[in-house]
Amino acid sequence: MKNKILFFDIDGTLYNSEKKLPRATYNAIQKAKENGHEIAIATGRSPFFLKPVLEELGLDSFVSFNGQYVVYKGKVISKRPIPMETIDKLVAQATNENVPIVYLDDVKMTSATKDDERVQVSMDSLYYPMPEVDEEYYKHSDIYQILLYVNEKEEGNYASLFPELKFIRWHKFSVDVINKDVSKAYGIEQFLKNTDFDIEDAIAFGDGLNDVEMLQSVGTSVAMGNGHKKAKEAATFVTDHVDHDGLALAMKKLGLC
């Protein structure tokens, strides 16, 4: 088999429902590496949230922020920060409506809002401390993602006001905000421009709505049995639930390990 490049979502794909990496998954990925395949992460997470899984699997390549920030073998190969003028307008709208905002660059989160319960609850779900407060942090750092604390109705209003942005719900209180034309599929494109791999050599594994474009774009794709209906519809095939070693089973089926 020609060597492949494999892209893995984290939550619900690599990590099981206990937020742990199953032993069968770990072994399958190490075997795939031994067989000459390249391994990368493709996630909505920020680079600073990736350190544990990168270290556990011995990886240095990833698509983060749903394609906004891409690293190959430790080197940044693509960056798409949200334009400052767009953030200016978003902040003005959010401030006017008393909507909390959290900024994410490649090293940390910074909140524009102090002591909001919605932010606290969402940070608790991530096991992450409350961010430091700096309303104007975006003016002196590249921002790759924003957490906007809106309900579904408000989300629709913001989507209408900001057609240049994409809103991806990750929590009942909050959505991820990134550039409209960026996705995990876009991030994978940047990988392929910087390697000898073709799109047919790319295999993607995912479970969520933010995986759909990635699953549709690569040569072969696998949706987890626990995945969203739209992810399953987008994939080449569906494997078992992540808690039942679905990822390792799919990799064996594809002859990767």
Side-chain angles (χ1 to χ4, degrees):
M1 174 191 284
K2 181 182 178 183
N3 289 348
K4 304 291 185 180
I5 184 164
L6 317 180
F7 295 91
F8 295 92
D9 171 58
I10 298 177
D11 298 297
T13 303
L14 282 175
Y15 282 179
N16 61 20
S17 55
E18 296 179 348
K19 300 293 185 184
K20 294 179 180 179
L21 185 73
R23 174 53 54 179
T25 296
Y26 175 86
N27 290 340
I29 288 176
Q30 298 310 318
K31 184 63 176 177
K33 288 166 66 176
E34 291 173 12
N35 289 340
H37 304 298
E38 289 205 31
I39 311 294
I41 300 297
T43 181
R45 292 190 186 200
S46 58
F48 55 87
F49 257 132
L50 290 180
K51 289 182 180 179
V53 68
L54 292 174
E55 290 176 358
E56 189 171 6
L57 290 171
L59 306 178
D60 57 4
S61 298
F62 57 84
V63 173
S64 63
F65 292 129
N66 286 310
Q68 300 261 106
Y69 191 90
V70 184
V71 171
Y72 179 57
K73 293 187 175 180
K75 178 183 177 183
V76 180
I77 58 173
S78 178
K79 297 193 294 185
R80 286 288 307 276
I82 302 172
M84 189 183 297
E85 59 270 22
T86 300
I87 302 178
D88 270 328
K89 290 187 287 185
L90 185 68
V91 168
Q93 184 73 26
T95 301
N96 185 54
E97 298 179 354
N98 197 30
V99 169
I101 278 183
V102 173
Y103 311 117
L104 287 82
D105 61 10
D106 57 312
V107 295
K108 65 178 181 178
M109 293 190 197
T110 306
S111 180
T113 311
K114 186 177 181 179
D115 299 330
D116 189 281
E117 185 178 359
R118 290 166 290 181
V119 178
Q120 181 73 66
V121 170
S122 71
M123 291 298 122
D124 288 347
S125 75
L126 297 172
Y127 302 99
Y128 195 82
M130 282 290 280
E132 65 180 63
V133 178
D134 184 346
E135 295 178 19
E136 298 190 339
Y137 186 73
Y138 71 93
K139 293 184 177 180
H140 48 84
S141 181
D142 285 340
I143 302 301
Y144 297 97
Q145 184 170 292
I146 288 172
L147 307 185
L148 186 70
Y149 288 79
V150 290
N151 60 36
E152 291 189 8
K153 181 179 178 181
E154 293 167 331
E155 176 188 342
N157 293 336
Y158 275 84
S160 297
L161 289 170
F162 296 91
E164 69 272 37
L165 297 175
K166 184 186 297 185
F167 299 82
I168 307 166
R169 184 158 295 278
W170 68 277
H171 189 276
K172 65 178 180 179
F173 291 149
S174 183
V175 292
D176 291 336
V177 183
I178 61 174
N179 290 308
K180 181 78 170 183
D181 61 339
V182 177
S183 65
K184 291 184 183 182
Y186 172 87
I188 289 173
E189 287 177 14
Q190 310 316 304
F191 261 88
L192 300 181
K193 289 177 182 177
N194 286 271
T195 69
D196 293 329
F197 293 105
D198 298 318
I199 194 67
E200 293 77 18
D201 303 320
I203 303 176
F205 303 80
D207 72 298
L209 285 172
N210 66 340
D211 296 317
V212 170
E213 290 155 310
M214 170 177 77
L215 295 172
Q216 290 172 331
S217 69
V218 295
T220 303
S221 57
V222 179
M224 305 302 293
N226 49 282
H228 192 282
K229 178 183 177 183
K230 291 185 178 179
K232 293 178 179 179
E233 291 171 350
T236 306
F237 70 90
V238 178
T239 188
D240 286 0
H241 194 289
V242 65
D243 291 342
H244 301 149
D245 293 332
L247 190 58
L249 292 171
M251 293 177 69
K252 289 175 183 174
K253 179 176 180 178
L254 291 169
L256 300 168
C257 59

